[in-house]
Amino acid sequence: MKFESLAADLQAWLKDSIGRGCTFEMMEQSLRAAGYQPGFARQAVELAFTRLAPQAAARAADGTAPAQQEEGQPDAHSILAESPNTIETSDRPVHILMALNAPRIVLFGNLLAAEECDALIEMARPRLQRSTVVNAETGAYDVHEARTSRGTYFERGENDLIRRIENRIAEVIERPVEHGEPIQVLHYLPGAEYKPHYDYFDPKLPGNERVLAMGGQRVATIVMYLNDVVAGGSTVFPQVGLDVLPRKGNAVFFAYSSERGELDARTLHGGSPVAEGEKWIATKWIRVGPYRPL
Ligand code: PD2
Ligand code: ZN
């Protein structure tokens, strides 16, 4: 279903509610209270948030949105806008080692303990399969030469370790655990890479309709480094000339919206080929609304 196929008065109400800074949950609740079926209410709110710029939508989704934002002004409410030196989470201090404003890219130190990295790798190892990419024309998950890693994923809250890491990430980025996709663990051997790409979905392409229906647009990525790579394997941002080198326990976070609240093409990024050794990472993508697979 497309946003434009909703009744005109419903479209207007959804736009107005988002403009006033209503949260995803408030809007879903209001529609249900007004008699809409739960599934339809949720889908309508997702469609509305997906039509908006992800950053504005993300703010609205967790209730931190100001009612208005002046056009062209830097967004004071973006995720991790403040860059403290250290974020004290419930179980671990997480250090901010580098922060770039536009696009918003933050490098964390100490996000994961070495033992957590090792445990993720050992849990993933027997489950690895060739990674796929979403075909934006058909919606199918295709094997593609642009992405030559192997990987697997863990259900949200699948075990104590996954739950602990997900809770920590939620604290650091101040987004609900429910907005996160399952953690993926990826393994790159020498020569393996993920060519530059965007993690957000182009809403104009038909094949993306299904992935967008599972919690709306993605708003941010966290790439967690699980081992030290001998050579190569950096996460590159070619549009800003940034190269993040993998270091066990560190993680790079980036949000896809520009200062104007639009999808930011400067977040083009890739995993450069491993030259020597191997590379293990865990990724988490954050959605504008609660993620539920179809
Ligand atoms: O392996 C990486 O460093 C990397 C870089 C960019 C992984 C991803 N994107 C991804 O899985 O989306
Ligand atoms: Zn990516």
Side-chain angles (χ1 to χ4, degrees):
M1 191 178 24
K2 295 211 177 311
F3 181 72
E4 289 71 24
S5 60
L6 298 172
D9 58 341
L10 179 56
Q11 284 187 39
W13 181 84
L14 289 162
K15 276 185 199 158
D16 179 62
S17 302
I18 290 175
R20 285 184 288 109
C22 295
T23 67
F24 190 102
E25 287 77 12
M26 280 160 60
M27 290 166 60
E28 189 181 10
Q29 195 55 43
S30 300
L31 289 181
R32 289 173 68 160
Y36 288 98
Q37 291 296 315
F40 178 84
R42 183 186 155 75
Q43 201 180 2
V45 177
E46 272 174 4
L47 288 169
F49 273 91
T50 302
R51 272 285 174 276
L52 291 184
Q55 191 168 36
R59 293 194 316 269
D62 73 356
T64 59
Q68 303 286 336
Q69 186 195 340
E70 282 182 37
E71 276 272 295
Q73 291 301 303
D75 175 16
H77 293 268
S78 58
I79 304 174
L80 285 166
E82 292 191 359
S83 314
N85 293 14
T86 301
I87 300 172
E88 293 292 345
T89 69
S90 307
D91 63 348
R92 194 171 179 80
V94 174
H95 307 303
I96 295 194
L97 304 179
M98 192 257 355
L100 184 72
N101 275 330
R104 189 64 179 157
I105 302 175
V106 175
L107 177 63
F108 297 121
N110 203 44
L111 181 69
L112 300 179
E115 309 77 59
E116 292 173 331
C117 296
D118 297 341
L120 280 175
I121 291 173
E122 291 320 316
M123 273 167 25
R125 198 186 289 279
R127 295 164 52 158
L128 296 176
Q129 293 187 334
R130 176 68 194 262
S131 303
T132 56
V133 296
V134 178
N135 182 324
E137 295 304 322
T138 64
Y141 292 85
D142 291 343
V143 166
H144 198 283
E145 49 88 27
R147 191 182 196 198
T148 50
S149 54
R150 287 163 60 78
T152 189
Y153 68 91
F154 296 96
E155 295 295 347
R156 224 170 36 212
E158 182 169 322
N159 58 39
D160 286 350
L161 174 63
I162 296 292
R163 209 170 304 120
R164 186 162 81 227
I165 294 171
E166 288 176 333
N167 287 337
R168 192 180 302 147
I169 291 171
E171 280 188 62
V172 167
I173 66 169
E174 299 179 335
R175 286 293 177 280
V177 166
E178 292 71 29
H179 290 209
E181 293 184 33
I183 287 179
Q184 279 205 11
V185 173
L186 299 169
H187 183 218
Y188 298 79
L189 288 170
E193 65 179 325
Y194 193 175
K195 293 210 167 87
H197 60 276
Y198 297 106
D199 282 353
Y200 54 77
F201 305 110
D202 184 340
K204 293 194 283 302
L205 298 178
N208 285 334
E209 197 172 338
R210 186 180 159 84
V211 278
L212 284 167
M214 300 192 278
Q217 183 60 276
R218 285 179 174 165
V219 294
T221 301
I222 299 155
V223 176
M224 296 167 267
Y225 302 102
L226 305 182
N227 74 323
D228 294 330
V229 184
V230 181
S234 59
T235 303
V236 293
F237 294 83
Q239 305 242 0
V240 289
L242 179 66
D243 218 1
V244 179
L245 304 195
R247 178 59 55 182
K248 186 171 181 173
N250 285 5
V252 64
F253 162 92
F254 52 100
Y256 324 136
S257 83
S258 71
E259 308 87 308
R260 298 180 70 86
E262 295 156 348
L263 288 170
D264 192 339
R266 293 170 298 184
T267 61
L268 183 74
H269 64 281
S272 65
V274 171
E276 193 182 343
E278 58 179 346
K279 172 183 169 187
W280 288 88
I281 59 166
T283 58
K284 181 167 274 290
W285 292 285
I286 311 299
R287 297 285 183 129
V288 68
Y291 175 81
R292 266 179 242 144
L294 289 176

